[in-house]
């Protein structure tokens, strides 16, 4: 599995699918160069001083191994972004951000369990097949093998997939998502066309019919993001959280 493909799943496991916002690019030919550059630019993870128990969420511990997996993935992504600007990655800030995301993830899975949302083996396989489809892999076994090459064992992969299923189920249950009307989608399209024309980029503007489904998906995702953040805020307000960084 490439660095990018691993990030598709790991980012989702760290936060939520809605907040991850990751997708494969259409330029597959450019991927090897980008991945190689990311690997070369990624600094060594500085985990000195990080305790064995990174955080405690309502009595549930987040350990160093879970933190390390999430942090190293985010470090790769941050290094790739930083390389385009010539800046260095602020690892201290990144560690704090990673801990916060793990806390959010744990709050969501705890709430899902309280709501009776649990993942069966079939549910886990469905999540992993979705990862395979996004990453251009053949099947679930290929996903498991690819993570194994990155040092992540099958039990951990399946645990993360189960957590993602719980989070998705919780958001679907709690979020009030309204499908946008045709008029709303058309208004969004008209605004984008106006912006493109004002920018005078010279790029060809696709027809509304060609981007309609993309606009609808984006609108629904924005609603999911807002609902997820509100749910996290509400859970944090009532939770007992200790972060040991």
């Amino acid at each position: 599995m490439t660095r990018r493909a691993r990030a598709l799943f790991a980012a989702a496991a760290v936060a939520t699918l809605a907040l991850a916002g990751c997708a494969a690019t259409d330029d597959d030919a450019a991927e090897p160069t980008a991945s190689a550059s990311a690997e070369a630019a990624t600094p060594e993870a500085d985990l000195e001083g990080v305790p064995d128990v990174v955080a405690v969420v309502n009595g549930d511990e987040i350990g160093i191994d879970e933190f390390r997996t999430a942090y190293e993935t985010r470090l790769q992504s941050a290094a790739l972004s930083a390389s385009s600007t010539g800046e260095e990655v602020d690892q201290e800030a990144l560690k704090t951000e990673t801990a916060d995301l793990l806390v959010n993830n744990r709050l969501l899975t705890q709430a899902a369990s309280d709501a009776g949302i649990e993942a069966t083996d079939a549910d886990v396989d469905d999540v992993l097949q979705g990862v395979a489809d996004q990453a251009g892999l053949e099947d679930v076994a290929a996903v498991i093998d690819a993570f194994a090459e990155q040092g992540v064992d099958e039990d951990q992969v399946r645990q993360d997939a189960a957590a993602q299923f719980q989070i998705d189920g919780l958001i679907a249950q709690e979020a009030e998502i309204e499908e946008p009307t045709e008029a709303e989608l058309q208004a969004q399209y008209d605004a984008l066309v106006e912006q493109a024309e004002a920018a005078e980029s010279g790029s060809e503007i696709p027809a509304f019919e060609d981007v309609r489904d993309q606009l609808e998906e984006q609108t629904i995702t924005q609603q999911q993001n807002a609902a997820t953040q509100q749910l996290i805020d509400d859970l944090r307000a009532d939770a007992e959280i200790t972060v040991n960084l």
Side-chain angles (χ1 to χ4, degrees), residues 110-121:
Q110 288 174 348
S113 294
D114 290 343
I117 301 171
E118 299 293 344
T120 65
D121 289 343

Side-chain angles (χ1 to χ4, degrees), residues 64-78:
I64 181 63
D65 290 340
E66 181 178 355
F67 179 85
R68 180 184 293 108
T69 299
Y71 180 73
E72 289 178 349
T73 297
R74 286 179 55 78
L75 181 60
Q76 288 181 343
S77 178

Side-chain angles (χ1 to χ4, degrees), residues 121-134:
D121 289 343
D123 294 327
V124 168
D125 283 342
D126 285 344
V127 172
L128 293 176
Q129 185 59 54
V131 175
D133 294 341
Q134 283 187 292

Side-chain angles (χ1 to χ4, degrees), residues 1-190:
M1 179 183 294
T2 64
R3 177 206 57 79
R4 188 186 65 193
R6 180 184 177 190
L8 280 170
F9 184 46
V14 168
T16 68
L17 181 62
L19 294 178
C22 295
T25 66
D26 292 331
D27 188 5
D28 289 334
E31 181 182 342
T33 300
S35 297
S37 297
E39 295 292 342
T42 302
E44 183 178 353
D46 179 11
L47 297 178
E48 183 177 356
V50 176
D52 290 340
V53 177
V54 176
V56 182
V57 183
N58 294 323
D60 193 4
E61 295 183 350
I62 296 174
I64 181 63
D65 290 340
E66 181 178 355
F67 179 85
R68 180 184 293 108
T69 299
Y71 180 73
E72 289 178 349
T73 297
R74 286 179 55 78
L75 181 60
Q76 288 181 343
S77 178
L80 181 59
S81 298
S83 66
S84 65
T85 63
E87 299 177 353
E88 292 186 1
V89 177
D90 185 342
Q91 292 208 43
E92 292 305 312
L94 190 64
K95 281 185 275 193
T96 299
E97 293 170 8
T98 301
D100 284 343
L101 286 173
L102 287 170
V103 167
N104 292 345
N105 186 71
R106 190 59 55 88
L107 286 169
L108 290 168
T109 55
Q110 288 174 348
S113 294
D114 290 343
I117 301 171
E118 299 293 344
T120 65
D121 289 343
D123 294 327
V124 168
D125 283 342
D126 285 344
V127 172
L128 293 176
Q129 185 59 54
V131 175
D133 294 341
Q134 283 187 292
L137 298 173
E138 183 177 354
D139 53 22
V140 171
V143 174
I144 299 297
D145 289 344
F147 273 104
E149 292 177 2
Q150 299 291 331
V152 183
D153 63 33
E154 181 174 353
D155 286 344
Q156 184 61 56
V157 172
R158 289 188 172 277
Q159 286 174 23
D160 289 344
Q164 189 57 54
F165 176 85
Q166 286 187 293
I167 291 171
D168 290 346
L170 181 66
I171 300 306
Q173 179 175 296
E174 297 293 331
E176 296 181 1
I177 305 300
E178 297 180 0
E179 292 189 6
T181 65
E182 290 300 309
E184 290 171 335
L185 293 175
Q186 184 66 58
Q188 289 183 43
Y189 175 78
D190 292 343

